[in-house]
Amino acid sequence: MQALLDTLRQLLGADQVLVDAAATAPFLTDWRGRYRGAALCVVRPGNAEEVAAVVRACYAAAVPVVPQGGNTSLCGAATPDSSGRAVVVSLGRLNRILTVDPQNNTISVEAGCTLAAVQDAARAVDRLFPLALASEGTCQIGGNLSTNAGGVQVLRYGNMRELTLGLQAVLPGGELWDGLRGLRKDNTGYDLKQLFIGAEGTLGVITAAVLKLFPLPRTQTTCWLNVASPDLAVDLLNRAKTAFDAQLTAFELVSEVALGLVLRHIPGSTRPAAASPWYVLAEFSDADPAAVERWLGEQVESGRVGDGTIAASEAQARRLWALREAISEAQKIEGVSIKHDVAVPVSAIGEFLARADAALAAAFPGIRVVAFGHVGDGNLHYNLSKSDAADNAAFLASQPAVNRIVHDTVHALRGTISAEHGIGQLKREEILRYKPAVEIALMRTLRRAIDPRGLMNPGALPGAE
Amino acid sequence: MQALLDTLRQLLGADQVLVDAAATAPFLTDWRGRYRGAALCVVRPGNAEEVAAVVRACYAAAVPVVPQGGNTSLCGAATPDSSGRAVVVSLGRLNRILTVDPQNNTISVEAGCTLAAVQDAARAVDRLFPLALASEGTCQIGGNLSTNAGGVQVLRYGNMRELTLGLQAVLPGGELWDGLRGLRKDNTGYDLKQLFIGAEGTLGVITAAVLKLFPLPRTQTTCWLNVASPDLAVDLLNRAKTAFDAQLTAFELVSEVALGLVLRHIPGSTRPAAASPWYVLAEFSDADPAAVERWLGEQVESGRVGDGTIAASEAQARRLWALREAISEAQKIEGVSIKHDVAVPVSAIGEFLARADAALAAAFPGIRVVAFGHVGDGNLHYNLSKSDAADNAAFLASQPAVNRIVHDTVHALRGTISAEHGIGQLKREEILRYKPAVEIALMRTLRRAIDPRGLMNPGALPGAE
């Protein structure tokens, strides 16, 4: 191990090889403090070649590699285990925007760029990079790619996978693969970049990417719509798609329970319209505002929308979005919670909520469902707060049983137990219950073929053992 | 081999195992008649389980399997070699539409459905399945998936890969993988469907898929625009994107040389506007026709568009499209040609044409460039017709040298030598010249890991040997 440390210092310079406890601490725990690990060292290479050299050295020494971006994983996907054997490879110094090509609508960036930096570089040439996340000031593109990040605009622009044209990555043996192509059509064999996107760093270290850009929307129309049920929200979604197609850029569902927590705990938040069991927050980009108003009028007249408001200013639109974005914060203030990041077919949203709500109410009387999410993608953040009667310890002890009910319900509807956050360490065992055996076996085959020594982020995803 | 034939007859019934020359002939040559092969037999399984049983039997007997859909490959990807050892698995009897879910905007179909049948089933529920190809009445979804088919609406809707949410496939050992999920977000490990899309049947046999649907456009506005150069066409493309975003659904480039061949050889074709070195055929869907007219007026006024016409009727729009679609036919009537299906970054279209045209003119005086294609995707069908002076044999003998010039030029601009047609047998050697060695090695690693006996469509793509 000392020999490996010496090699790494030689490769990167001693100041980019962190070993002391104070310097390494921020890299050894996730930002929510749920996972704590240890490492031989944390290295901070400055370019792709240095990443390749580090991985080669680790491969030769049979030492595990844990790639880390902004360290904002919600499932412990970038935290080493407690053995202290791993080398954490922090990508933060690979933070250059390589090229911006407005005519090709592409931007080529290193993996350590923050998402916000990429958004800014796009905006500087009058283009949109559409991925947007709460952590965008901290999370990095390499992490966004490795977890195939989603967010509120997937409805229009797709996940990170759909936003990616080219990739550069270091393979587990240390070879540098340059697939930095900015092509919209390329049918010359297996699309290798797809392997690394969403692989949570288990098949290699992403070092750079070519991403798609879009025209910057010039106008946005934001509405808050009261709907009586999730089924009616889905019906409304499809009516909005039919009328506005790609101009519908967000369609979020919020329950009255979720809004209630925001109104109770977040200072300055006010009810935007009459109370209703469910709300939709819809955003239209570059649509004729008069057409949106006309459409909304028709929905109110038909009774499909009970009450609704169209933001009259950017400030009001931001306030509507703030209500949606404050739900997690409000739920944290309310007390402990059990969270799920699930997706089902959009047509099964109502059925999922009905089944899961009923099963939980029967098993845990008084449990409170705080449901909200990206209904346009079938993706719900289905969170549970404890009943007023229960204490925290008892509630948290029920988590495995709660998860079982929620995930079994999702599975019965051909849904997924991780829509956008990934597997990491958090769901590494849980996923084995739901994936077909053929699929798990194929995942293992791939992982062993590409990483025969099992050194790449061995704690994330099943299949390294 | 007799034992295998007996097993296959037992599995499928004797009438679904074709062995005599007349019955098997249509499956043993590609539709352009460029590749001719032989086979032990052609089998026609009726469902996914039968496909799995066939593949298992072939695996046990170490006999190669060649999956075949509508047999419309342009690169010999579905034709067996001449050894006569392979079993051709024709998917045509797997032609059921499984489910249509308009609320989820998905359609689940078996691999042997023709593309036209899928388009029709979508239209029946007021939805669009946007893939459209000249061969749509014959080509099958399994083939569209295996070649990641493109076409004219990739600009708006993406390639087949982007149109696919779930997949069912038989692995080389005969295991049936059911990944028929209709989810827009699912981050639970490697996205295995990506392996099979574009793999040309070398990693398994696709048996069914869940595909995305879109709202049916209600109106379309089709324009024919004169532009002075490819660079100005790209500039115009970006202006149209900025103004209309996703309402711009096609943007095709046509050279005067290409149009000239159509006018000369296709009866009833007429020049839609004044002559110009280049033309753009643009289609806007659900855009306000007045807004398109206003925008076009601005482009003419600024001099970016020399002359232009907006189709005043559906019939006129069809006539404009017919000019574009007749180019291949016209070139065939004109005489022999050498064709390329290349893509470069959209911003490099002009540079590519300038460099390739100059290099070819120097090497082959009088050679005629017939360039047209999907400029919105950087994808050109860069075809060459012989000079009037040259004879056919001499021209065809020059094909390797012509390919070398075109492909080297593409490669220097970080482009691809196969944008939408695939590799098949046609470019299996050629691609080795251009792919990075790391990439070829990784493709081989994948192929060997998933198909260790090298039995799946061994003639397509490099890496089976």
Side-chain angles (χ1 to χ4, degrees), chain A residues 101-105 126-127 147-152 154 156-157 159 161-162 171 175-192 194-200 202-203 212-216 218 231 234-235 237-238 241-247 286 343-348 374 376-379 413-423 431 435-436 438-440 442-447 449-450 461-462, chain B residues 101-105 126-127 147-152 154 156-157 159 161-162 171 175-192 194-200 202-203 212-216 218 231 234-235 237-238 241-247 286 343-348 374 376-379 413-423 431 435-436 438-440 442-447 449-450 461-462:
Chain A
D101 183 345
Q103 291 282 65
N104 193 41
N105 285 291
D126 204 32
R127 294 287 187 274
T147 60
N148 185 26
V152 298
V154 169
R156 161 68 177 95
Y157 298 102
N159 295 287
R161 186 181 300 280
E162 285 85 44
L171 305 187
E175 306 94 337
L176 182 62
W177 169 55
D178 178 5
L180 284 181
R181 295 186 278 260
L183 303 173
R184 281 172 172 73
K185 288 184 180 172
D186 181 15
N187 278 335
T188 53
Y190 311 147
D191 189 1
L192 298 176
Q194 306 295 348
L195 277 176
F196 302 98
I197 300 171
E200 302 188 3
T202 63
L203 300 180
K212 286 185 198 169
L213 301 179
F214 294 83
L216 261 184
R218 292 145 297 162
D231 277 341
V234 168
D235 176 62
L237 165 73
N238 278 294
K241 277 190 167 183
T242 300
F244 295 95
D245 192 21
Q247 292 177 334
D286 286 343
V344 292
V346 175
S347 50
H374 319 299
D377 316 312
N379 177 195
L413 294 165
R414 297 191 77 90
T416 175
I417 67 164
S418 185
E420 39 178 30
H421 298 169
I423 297 297
I431 194 63
K435 286 263 184 204
V438 173
E439 187 160 339
I440 293 287
L442 188 50
M443 283 179 58
R444 279 190 215 274
T445 298
L446 279 176
R447 190 163 184 170
I450 295 174
L461 294 179
Chain B
D101 184 345
Q103 291 283 63
N104 194 41
N105 285 290
D126 203 31
R127 294 287 187 275
T147 59
N148 186 25
V152 297
V154 170
R156 161 65 178 96
Y157 298 101
N159 295 287
R161 186 182 298 281
E162 285 84 42
L171 305 187
E175 305 93 337
L176 182 62
W177 169 55
D178 177 7
L180 284 182
R181 294 186 280 260
L183 303 173
R184 281 171 170 76
K185 288 183 177 170
D186 181 15
N187 278 334
T188 52
Y190 311 147
D191 189 1
L192 297 177
Q194 305 295 346
L195 277 176
F196 302 99
I197 300 171
E200 303 186 3
T202 63
L203 300 180
K212 287 186 198 168
L213 300 179
F214 294 82
L216 261 184
R218 289 145 298 161
D231 278 339
V234 169
D235 176 62
L237 165 73
N238 278 293
K241 277 189 168 184
T242 299
F244 295 95
D245 191 23
Q247 292 177 334
D286 286 340
V344 293
V346 175
S347 50
H374 320 298
D377 316 312
N379 177 195
L413 293 166
R414 299 190 74 89
T416 176
I417 67 165
S418 184
E420 41 177 29
H421 297 170
I423 296 298
I431 194 62
K435 286 265 184 203
V438 173
E439 188 160 338
I440 292 287
L442 188 50
M443 281 177 57
R444 280 190 215 273
T445 297
L446 281 176
R447 189 163 184 170
I450 295 174
L461 293 179

Side-chain angles (χ1 to χ4, degrees), chain B residues 164-442:
Chain B
T164 307
L165 293 178
L167 218 60
Q168 185 194 59
V170 173
L171 305 187
E175 305 93 337
L176 182 62
W177 169 55
D178 177 7
L180 284 182
R181 294 186 280 260
L183 303 173
R184 281 171 170 76
K185 288 183 177 170
D186 181 15
N187 278 334
T188 52
Y190 311 147
D191 189 1
L192 297 177
K193 67 176 177 288
Q194 305 295 346
L195 277 176
F196 302 99
I197 300 171
E200 303 186 3
T202 63
L203 300 180
V205 185
I206 294 172
T207 49
V210 182
L211 307 172
K212 287 186 198 168
L213 300 179
F214 294 82
L216 261 184
R218 289 145 298 161
T219 64
Q220 287 184 315
T221 310
T222 307
C223 322
W224 184 270
L225 311 172
N226 291 7
V227 292
S229 73
D231 278 339
L232 285 170
V234 169
D235 176 62
L236 195 67
L237 165 73
N238 278 293
R239 290 174 187 275
K241 277 189 168 184
T242 299
F244 295 95
D245 191 23
Q247 292 177 334
L248 178 68
T249 46
F251 200 91
E252 300 282 305
L253 186 68
V254 175
S255 71
E256 167 64 16
V257 178
L259 177 66
L261 293 182
V262 173
L263 297 176
R264 186 182 312 160
H265 294 298
I266 307 296
S269 59
T270 56
R271 198 175 269 287
S276 165
W278 295 90
Y279 309 96
V280 163
L281 178 62
E283 181 191 80
F284 301 83
S285 294
D286 286 340
D288 176 4
V292 175
E293 204 165 329
R294 210 161 43 238
W295 177 81
L296 180 53
E298 288 164 18
Q299 306 313 315
V300 171
E301 208 158 301
S302 71
R304 282 186 290 268
V305 169
D307 188 9
T309 180
I310 298 184
S313 63
E314 257 188 63
Q316 200 191 340
R318 272 198 302 274
R319 280 197 297 276
L320 294 177
W321 273 106
L323 292 173
R324 160 67 183 83
E325 284 158 2
I327 297 172
S328 290
E329 175 68 12
Q331 202 182 5
K332 193 188 283 180
I333 298 170
E334 177 74 5
V336 296
S337 58
I338 299 173
K339 300 190 171 193
H340 305 92
D341 164 42
V342 302
V344 293
V346 175
S347 50
I349 287 267
E351 179 75 13
F352 164 73
L353 287 166
R355 286 198 206 177
D357 288 5
L360 287 169
F364 303 99
I367 195 167
R368 286 176 295 163
V369 175
V370 183
F372 61 98
H374 320 298
V375 70
D377 316 312
N379 177 195
L380 289 176
H381 297 297
Y382 186 81
N383 298 345
L384 292 316
S385 285
K386 71 177 181 61
S387 71
D388 292 328
D391 69 14
N392 285 353
F395 182 64
L396 288 177
S398 71
Q399 176 152 0
V402 169
N403 289 350
R404 179 57 46 91
I405 289 173
V406 174
H407 291 167
D408 280 3
T409 307
V410 162
H411 186 66
L413 293 166
R414 299 190 74 89
T416 176
I417 67 165
S418 184
E420 41 177 29
H421 297 170
I423 296 298
Q425 303 180 55
L426 180 64
K427 297 180 185 168
R428 194 176 49 188
E429 301 300 322
E430 185 76 353
I431 194 62
L432 297 175
R433 179 175 168 86
Y434 299 107
K435 286 265 184 203
V438 173
E439 188 160 338
I440 292 287
L442 188 50

